[in-house]
Amino acid sequence: MTKEYPDYIWFNGKLVPFNEAKLHVLTPTCLYGINVFEGIRGYWNDEAKELYCFRLDDHYKRLYESAKIMRFNVQYTKNDLTGALLNLLKINNIKEDVQIRHSIYLDGFGSWHSTDPIGMFISCKPSGRSYGGKKSISCCISSWERINDRSISPRIKAGSNYQNSRMAQMDAIVNGYDSTIIMNKNGKVAEGPGSCIFIFRDNKLITPPITSSILESITRDTILSLAEKELNLQVQERDIDRTELYVAQELFFCGTAVEIMPITSVDRIVIGNGEPGPITNALMQKFFQIVRGKVKEYNKWLTPTYGN
């Protein structure tokens, strides 16, 4: 990693030095967490000398959908957002794996129910894998219930929604686990904190449907596609019971931040043989080849930064 923080942040239409990207403490986004965002990954290919942003169009589609539900009036076009991001990566000379945060927030000095004025920033930070680079993690079933579409919709990728994940994750860490799995209001498996979940059982790859109080994950969609096209697996989107996790042959989280992370125990019950399984490993191998631009068939998912 060349540096912990970048030199510049894109802030309301301008590139500003990192330490000068500031908000007033009384903005609604500071007071109430009123914002929507996308976490985006960029992957460096050293042979091609190129940084690829993964599924950028899909991330911006979801960002606009989140903003629409929050009644934010976004003046920037998708081309504006793409150009701003690529310019930011270039000006910071990012030539390693990077995590990108693209946020739209409620600015000014209005109330929690205001809808304008709207501000925006983009930041980029060199980043490796999550969970400290662990090869697998342990999880527990959370005592906290997942938010739902009748309370705070998980379809909105909003900063305030992550309080739900925060409560669950803090409990898990205090009790000696790496992470946690959160159930929905119907008592079925929803997702992890900031990540979707897959199980492999009876030769099927299974994941909860998008109506089970989960974020409509781009990485989840990627895994579903790769499982069918590359591994010829039968995939199912259906409800998952808690005890199915215990008897699954393989289990993993997926998401932009977590990428693909094997889970080898739940509630201290060992999953499979206690090691990342062959299906999970095969998906991981294919995924990392694709995001680094090494599988031409999937280059449609990649946006090059430097034009190589």
Side-chain angles (χ1 to χ4, degrees):
M1 187 179 294
T2 55
K3 59 178 69 174
E4 186 176 2
Y5 296 105
D7 293 326
Y8 295 95
I9 284 179
W10 188 96
F11 188 66
N12 289 329
K14 298 179 181 179
L15 289 168
V16 301
F18 180 85
N19 290 327
E20 295 180 18
K22 299 177 181 179
L23 291 172
H24 197 282
V25 294
L26 293 182
T27 57
T29 192
C30 290
L31 292 176
Y32 309 110
I34 302 175
N35 61 72
V36 297
F37 74 96
E38 281 297 313
I40 303 165
R41 281 261 191 184
Y43 292 91
W44 178 249
N45 182 321
D46 197 52
E47 294 176 358
K49 304 300 179 186
E50 183 58 271
L51 180 68
Y52 296 109
C53 296
F54 185 60
R55 296 193 65 168
L56 198 55
D57 285 349
D58 296 300
H59 278 288
Y60 284 149
K61 176 179 180 291
R62 190 171 64 183
L63 181 65
Y64 279 113
E65 288 177 349
S66 294
K68 180 179 183 179
I69 298 172
M70 292 286 275
R71 301 181 188 271
F72 288 170
N73 183 20
V74 181
Q75 299 297 322
Y76 299 100
T77 68
K78 187 172 69 173
N79 286 339
D80 292 335
L81 303 187
T82 302
L85 170 57
L86 297 180
N87 191 34
L88 179 69
L89 294 171
K90 290 174 187 175
I91 201 73
N92 283 300
N93 197 33
I94 302 293
K95 295 185 177 179
E96 57 190 301
D97 291 357
V98 64
Q99 284 211 39
I100 298 153
R101 173 82 174 225
H102 198 138
S103 292
I104 303 172
Y105 61 90
L106 188 57
D107 204 353
F109 301 102
S111 183
W112 51 267
H113 55 77
S114 301
T115 56
D116 60 72
I118 299 302
M120 185 184 299
F121 73 82
I122 313 171
S123 66
C124 57
K125 181 181 177 182
S127 178
R129 298 211 63 194
S130 58
Y131 293 102
K134 287 186 175 184
K135 293 183 178 179
S136 66
I137 58 172
S138 63
C139 287
C140 62
I141 302 300
S142 180
S143 61
W144 293 92
E145 185 178 288
R146 181 66 175 145
I147 56 176
N148 64 75
D149 210 55
R150 294 181 64 187
S151 56
I152 306 175
S153 176
R155 179 167 286 104
I156 311 168
K157 194 169 177 66
S160 53
N161 283 6
Y162 280 72
Q163 296 304 315
N164 183 231
S165 291
R166 173 180 168 82
M167 301 303 292
Q169 182 69 6
M170 287 193 301
D171 255 7
I173 292 172
V174 166
N175 288 299
Y177 299 93
D178 296 311
S179 192
T180 188
I181 297 165
I182 312 170
M183 313 295 280
N184 62 30
K185 66 185 179 70
N186 297 319
K188 304 296 184 179
V189 172
E191 60 179 25
S195 52
C196 286
I197 191 167
F198 279 84
I199 70 172
F200 182 67
R201 185 182 181 212
D202 297 332
N203 294 316
K204 302 180 186 70
L205 192 66
I206 307 164
T207 192
I210 59 173
T211 52
S212 58
S213 294
I214 69 170
L215 178 72
E216 294 185 6
S217 164
I218 293 164
T219 312
R220 173 185 176 276
D221 180 71
T222 301
I223 297 303
L224 287 170
S225 179
L226 296 183
E228 286 187 311
K229 294 179 181 179
E230 300 295 330
L231 302 187
N232 295 315
L233 291 176
Q234 182 179 348
V235 298
Q236 290 185 343
E237 298 179 66
R238 64 162 176 82
D239 286 339
I240 297 174
D241 288 323
R242 173 178 182 164
T243 51
E244 280 193 275
L245 303 175
Y246 300 153
V247 297
Q249 295 162 277
E250 300 183 36
L251 187 61
F252 62 87
F253 279 151
C254 74
T256 296
V258 76
E259 298 163 315
I260 301 174
M261 176 55 66
I263 302 167
T264 48
S265 73
V266 177
D267 292 339
R268 299 195 169 91
I269 296 175
V270 174
I271 305 303
N273 64 1
E275 299 289 336
I279 298 300
T280 307
N281 283 331
L283 286 167
M284 289 174 65
Q285 182 179 21
K286 182 60 67 172
F287 176 82
F288 284 112
Q289 287 175 341
I290 288 169
V291 297
R292 297 193 191 281
K294 297 182 178 181
V295 184
K296 291 184 179 180
E297 179 185 352
Y298 293 96
N299 283 356
K300 61 186 178 182
W301 280 344
L302 306 179
T303 302
T305 300
Y306 298 101
N308 295 331

